[in-house]
Amino acid sequence: MGFTEEIAKRRTFGIISHPDAGKTTLTEKLLLFGGAIQEAGAVKSNKIKKGATSDFMEIERQRGISVATSVLAFNYKDKKINILDTPGHKDFAEDTYRTLTAVDSVIVVIDVAKGVEEQTEKLVEVCRMRNIPMIVFINKLDREGKDAFDLLDEVEQKLKLTVTPLSFPIGMGYDFKGIYNIWEKNINLFTGDSRKDIEETIAFDDVNNPELDKIVGQKHAEKLREELELVTEIYPDFDREAYLKGDLQPVFFGSALNNFGVRELLDCFIQIAPQPRPKESDTRLVRPEEEKFSGFVFKIHANMDPKHRDRLAFIKIVSGTFERNKPYLHVRHNKNLKFSSPNAFFAEKKEIVDISYPGDIVGLHDTGNFKIGDTLTEGEVMNFKGIPSFSPEHFRYVNNADPMKSKQLEKGLDQLMDEGVAQLFTLEMNGRKVIGTVGALQYEVIQYRLEHEYGAKCSYENFPAYKACWVKPEDTKNEEFAEFKRVKQKFLGHDKHGQLVFLADSEFSIQMTQQKYPSVKLYFTSDFYQN
Ligand code: G4P
């Protein structure tokens, strides 16, 4: 198979949802269709179970699992599918945001009873900002839930999407009869038997055909006809170009647990979802078809074994082929590196591969060379864009609790930050270090890992910040900047790239600062300097 065919057959995507909407279940059913696993229950959920005895011990246990589920690859029909795992737990949202820089499209899972939930809103917003093509899967139709039209409204309003249903439920909950597949023009009858791979599907291109009454009963047939008429009136026709641009989102209904509506979703997905897409770098747009290799690190996973401090860096291949033992340029270090054992991922296992193509993810063993966002090329000096840090939501001073181990603490913090566990800010005034995280859980994780992997001890103290706002000194007028720096002295620091950060203590303080020092622009993600 030629290079362009290899690219054309790849579909690299992520599934996003609020915890418990059914992401793990759907992933598992997709893997079953791909023959990548033989039975349900084979994919261990890497979510943190509610009521776990100690959340962070649970995280440690899950860390082992999550290497295995980071990339789940399988073949389906003539396509090679890479599902990138995105943690649903909100304390790991930053991991998910970063993974979204490596996907070419996403599937959004929504619980039919709960509708659009908080985490979904945040993740969809990130996808919307990046024009990532999205398909919505409304799950748990076997349960009582919201009316389909109400849900579609909610999706449009809360997620700010333009939807078009490509399937429509017939009944719901105890009265759930099946689904009319608008895309394939057939009816899928619900049997409630999750062991079946293929449900009973009846080709049916005209719902006005009286046969429909016999199949689903008169009441449901009439309702379906009315509803489909409304669908045609209200929603735009599916348009692949609009979907690919992120302007239109098709919606499917189903029940992942019952393996219902999943094949339809997958069949449509492989037809419409994009193959690996071009990616913007700081110098130019890089196309997958280019002959020369380029890629970037979107995730780093520390080894579970503290005796070997090596890590696995996950690289998304953007262009060309990645070959084993060939030297590539690590742009930030300006140094050539060779990799003798790049890993490719399959469902639940990894293998050493000789060659990988755009859209693929390779795992490279790393002894501390990589940071999230690093670019590798075949010699060209450029950096891929769009791997920002978002403002943390929690801030604490970190103190050294064992003065004999200050080197270890420094090294541990440095490496954990490279992994993207949290963000470290150094205060300008006194050099004290502040750790910012998306979730409070991360503090326990950091403390635990510093002790077990680096032999260092730390303690925390509250730091009264609310949001990190990045500041670009060259934006500002000199005298205004000097005044800002003097007044806000206590709240200024630098991130690990040396960028100036204002650690604001409230929304009010952000507003006041913007009013008082209009030339001091505040940025809420760290990638402003790349734009
Ligand atoms: P997540 O990864 O998005 O967090 O969700 P997950 O797949 O773990 O699903 C959350 C719960 O919802 C699970 O039940 C799962 O069995 C259930 N579920 C998923 N899809 C459907 C569906 O189509 N219909 C119904 N009725 N339930 C569904 P649980 O009891 O929390 O966990 P488990 O003990 O079954 O693993």
Side-chain angles (χ1 to χ4, degrees):
M1 187 177 284
F3 178 51
T4 37
E5 287 84 18
E6 288 287 355
I7 301 173
K9 71 183 246 193
R10 278 163 170 78
R11 300 286 179 274
T12 301
F13 76 106
I15 304 180
I16 56 175
S17 71
H18 193 86
D20 277 347
K23 181 171 73 77
T24 312
T25 314
L26 178 64
T27 307
E28 190 169 277
K29 295 298 147 84
L30 293 175
L31 292 175
L32 277 170
F33 278 116
I37 53 170
Q38 263 53 46
E39 56 186 317
V43 177
K44 304 196 185 54
S45 159
N46 84 1
K47 70 180 176 175
I48 296 145
K49 293 271 179 210
K50 284 185 258 11
T53 35
S54 161
D55 267 340
F56 79 94
M57 283 309 289
E58 179 69 8
I59 292 167
E60 278 304 298
R61 197 179 67 73
Q62 299 291 359
R63 242 160 33 92
I65 297 171
S66 74
V67 171
T69 58
S70 285
V71 186
L72 295 161
F74 63 96
N75 293 308
Y76 179 70
K77 298 197 171 161
D78 58 344
K79 299 290 184 289
K80 177 172 181 214
I81 296 179
N82 295 313
I83 307 183
L84 305 195
D85 189 39
T86 54
H89 194 287
K90 74 170 174 29
D91 286 11
F92 295 88
E94 186 121 6
D95 271 4
T96 299
Y97 297 149
R98 280 192 295 256
T99 299
L100 291 176
T101 62
V103 301
D104 296 305
S105 71
V106 302
I107 293 180
V108 184
V109 182
I110 290 172
D111 183 321
V112 70
K114 295 193 178 139
V116 174
E117 295 171 89
E118 184 196 339
Q119 203 53 22
T120 319
E121 267 182 74
K122 287 194 185 158
L123 296 172
V124 165
E125 193 182 337
V126 174
C127 296
R128 230 185 30 239
M129 273 159 35
R130 288 163 194 279
N131 302 322
I132 299 176
M134 290 182 251
I135 297 180
V136 178
F137 181 71
I138 297 187
N139 189 29
K140 307 197 185 178
L141 263 285
D142 57 314
R143 286 204 185 153
E144 288 303 318
K146 300 188 181 183
D147 169 76
F149 285 109
D150 289 348
L151 257 175
L152 293 170
D153 270 1
E154 192 176 325
V155 169
E156 288 209 311
Q157 276 158 26
K158 284 202 183 157
L159 300 181
K160 303 188 189 71
L161 301 180
T162 307
V163 299
T164 183
L166 289 187
S167 78
F168 210 84
I170 310 171
M172 187 184 288
Y174 77 95
D175 203 19
F176 183 47
K177 285 277 171 292
I179 283 171
Y180 183 72
N181 189 324
I182 302 172
W183 173 253
E184 292 178 2
K185 301 237 176 310
N186 59 35
I187 295 173
N188 246 325
L189 289 177
F190 180 61
T191 54
D193 184 352
S194 66
R195 287 162 304 173
K196 278 193 175 171
D197 283 0
I198 312 245
E199 314 95 21
E200 190 183 347
T201 305
I202 305 164
F204 213 92
D205 59 3
D206 178 11
V207 284
N208 290 320
N209 184 331
E211 273 297 298
L212 184 66
D213 299 59
K214 290 193 197 139
I215 299 171
V216 298
Q218 192 195 1
K219 185 185 88 182
H220 283 299
E222 277 169 12
K223 189 155 180 264
L224 180 66
R225 288 186 188 110
E226 279 169 25
E227 289 178 328
L228 289 181
E229 220 175 286
L230 267 179
V231 166
T232 330
E233 276 169 27
I234 306 177
Y235 300 102
D237 285 345
F238 176 71
D239 170 357
R240 182 160 185 243
E241 281 312 305
Y243 156 71
L244 291 178
K245 279 202 241 149
D247 293 340
L248 182 67
Q249 289 75 27
V251 180
F252 282 86
F253 291 83
S255 163
L257 186 65
N258 292 289
N259 211 359
F260 192 78
V262 178
R263 183 195 60 75
E264 290 71 16
L265 172 73
L266 183 57
D267 279 343
C268 177
F269 172 82
I270 60 166
Q271 286 178 50
I272 67 171
Q275 62 182 64
R277 306 203 296 168
K279 195 163 177 74
E280 201 63 64
S281 80
D282 55 356
T283 56
R284 65 188 187 86
L285 185 71
V286 181
R287 300 186 180 281
E289 301 76 24
E290 292 178 20
E291 203 185 310
K292 294 225 160 118
F293 161 76
S294 66
F296 65 94
V297 180
F298 66 94
K299 176 174 180 151
I300 291 180
H301 208 292
N303 205 301
M304 291 299 289
D305 181 356
K307 284 189 223 87
H308 305 98
R309 199 162 306 139
D310 66 334
R311 313 183 288 178
L312 205 55
F314 290 78
I315 315 272
K316 161 92 184 274
I317 298 172
V318 178
S319 67
T321 53
F322 181 92
E323 288 166 46
R324 184 151 87 102
N325 283 326
K326 197 168 164 180
Y328 292 116
L329 176 68
H330 183 305
V331 177
R332 184 171 54 87
H333 285 332
N334 187 24
K335 136 171 137 184
N336 281 317
L337 299 172
K338 264 197 227 174
F339 303 92
S340 59
S341 51
N343 283 291
F345 301 87
F346 299 96
E348 304 227 287
K349 59 176 195 291
K350 49 187 174 56
E351 264 172 24
I352 292 177
V353 278
D354 290 324
I355 184 161
S356 308
Y357 295 90
D360 282 341
I361 310 299
V362 286
L364 304 179
H365 286 284
D366 170 42
T367 45
N369 279 316
F370 287 120
K371 271 188 193 179
I372 285 177
D374 277 348
T375 299
L376 277 180
T377 69
E378 237 178 286
E380 185 173 344
V381 177
M382 64 171 177
N383 288 290
F384 283 107
K385 279 189 180 184
I387 302 139
S389 294
F390 292 82
S391 172
E393 290 170 23
H394 303 262
F395 299 84
R396 289 185 196 168
Y397 282 119
V398 53
N399 297 323
N400 186 0
D402 182 351
M404 304 294 286
K405 300 281 172 66
S406 56
K407 276 248 145 47
Q408 284 86 335
L409 181 72
E410 206 168 303
K411 179 156 192 200
L413 280 176
D414 198 44
Q415 295 211 345
L416 292 180
M417 300 307 134
D418 284 355
E419 250 183 67
V421 175
Q423 293 178 56
L424 192 69
F425 303 100
T426 309
L427 294 186
E428 222 175 53
M429 200 172 66
N430 53 16
R432 286 189 74 181
K433 297 206 180 322
V434 171
I435 293 182
T437 66
V438 178
L441 222 59
Q442 308 293 36
Y443 292 105
E444 285 179 71
V445 176
I446 293 168
Q447 206 165 35
Y448 180 89
R449 289 190 57 191
L450 281 173
E451 192 170 339
H452 289 83
E453 293 171 33
Y454 300 90
K457 285 203 170 114
C458 75
S459 63
Y460 299 114
E461 225 178 288
N462 266 343
F463 180 80
Y466 153 82
K467 208 176 234 176
C469 314
W470 280 266
V471 181
K472 211 152 111 184
E474 49 292 11
D475 274 359
T476 58
K477 289 198 195 113
N478 278 344
E479 62 291 4
E480 212 167 272
F481 187 53
E483 167 77 2
F484 163 76
K485 281 195 79 169
R486 194 181 56 74
V487 174
K488 299 293 179 192
Q489 206 179 29
K490 279 200 311 208
F491 298 98
L492 293 179
H494 293 271
D495 71 4
K496 66 173 195 271
H497 306 291
Q499 298 290 336
L500 185 65
V501 179
F502 167 43
L503 299 165
D505 59 357
S506 65
E507 195 58 48
F508 178 70
S509 143
I510 294 178
Q511 281 171 16
M512 288 309 289
T513 306
Q514 283 171 327
Q515 271 175 27
K516 245 174 124 179
Y517 313 104
S519 77
V520 178
K521 285 210 194 78
L522 303 178
Y523 298 87
F524 301 106
T525 62
S526 69
D527 63 347
F528 63 87
Y529 55 86
Q530 299 176 335
N531 295 325

